[in-house]
Amino acid sequence: IFRPQLLSVYTHDELALRCQHLWKHLLIPYDGSPDAIYLIEQMEKYAQTRAPGSFEQCLLVRVVENISRDPSVTESRLNDARRELESVQVRLEKLGLQVQSQVRQGTPVLEVLTAAEEDDISAIAVATCHRSNMLEWLAVRRINEDILHQLWFPLLFFSPKG
């Protein structure tokens, strides 16, 4: 998914080059949800059959929201998130990918945007496994929808065929 405002200013050569590098360095927001697990499964499938020079590295980002006043609860949630991301990182590294993982604290969309800008990613991968089409997907408020509406990075959207 590319924003129309971006596409309208690209020349054909610029768009071709952009698409050529779309899979180079993906940001994968991961929250442990069924959608996130489905996305990792899709990344594994693609990594197994990818062309040379395609999908070389990814950044896994898990955001822990500030919802507790108790620092020990927050620290426990951060540690759980680190452990979970570590296991996902190992799965992807076994497929020859360079994988970095970050656990961030704050507002999910803002933290994903910050990570995308800091790490010079080429696209953000998102998925849904519960809705059969984009309109149904947009009807439910989740981080994927927030990313779609608020971030200008190209998105790779994964959804099983209905």
Side-chain angles (χ1 to χ4, degrees):
I1 300 171
F2 280 95
R3 296 243 180 222
Q5 298 90 330
L6 292 176
L7 285 178
S8 66
V9 298
Y10 281 150
T11 66
H12 290 291
D13 291 340
E14 289 170 328
L15 184 58
L17 184 62
R18 184 74 177 105
C19 291
Q20 203 175 1
H21 294 282
L22 197 59
W23 279 86
K24 280 280 191 196
H25 187 193
L26 298 182
L27 186 148
I28 303 171
Y30 185 85
D31 62 3
S33 68
D35 290 346
I37 292 166
Y38 172 75
L39 179 58
I40 296 302
E41 291 168 355
Q42 297 309 301
M43 295 292 101
E44 288 174 322
K45 287 178 186 175
Y46 186 80
Q48 291 170 353
T49 60
R50 70 186 182 271
S54 172
F55 193 26
E56 298 170 345
Q57 56 183 322
C58 63
L59 171 65
L60 293 167
V61 176
R62 175 81 184 247
V63 181
V64 175
E65 292 186 76
N66 300 321
I67 58 170
S68 176
R69 293 182 184 190
D70 184 350
S72 64
V73 170
T74 301
E75 190 58 38
S76 174
R77 291 184 69 223
L78 288 168
N79 288 333
D80 290 346
R82 285 184 196 101
R83 279 191 294 278
E84 192 171 13
L85 269 191
E86 237 176 61
S87 69
V88 174
Q89 181 174 350
V90 167
R91 282 173 59 182
L92 294 173
E93 285 175 338
K94 286 181 181 176
L95 299 167
L97 296 172
Q98 298 171 26
V99 183
Q100 292 180 321
S101 60
Q102 296 179 6
V103 175
R104 294 173 166 261
Q105 189 175 348
T107 305
V109 171
L110 294 176
E111 293 302 320
V112 167
L113 174 61
T114 301
E117 290 174 344
E118 290 174 356
D119 284 79
D120 196 30
I121 59 98
S122 57
I124 299 172
V126 293
T128 181
C129 58
H130 297 294
R131 284 157 286 295
S132 61
N133 67 47
M134 185 67 101
L135 293 176
E136 290 174 356
W137 182 64
L138 293 174
V140 178
R141 189 100 182 136
R142 347 170 60 124
I143 187 171
N144 290 341
E145 179 186 349
D146 290 338
I147 288 171
L148 177 68
H149 288 291
Q150 297 179 35
L151 301 186
W152 284 69
F153 285 88
L155 296 177
L156 298 174
F157 178 75
F158 293 86
S159 180
K161 293 184 177 152

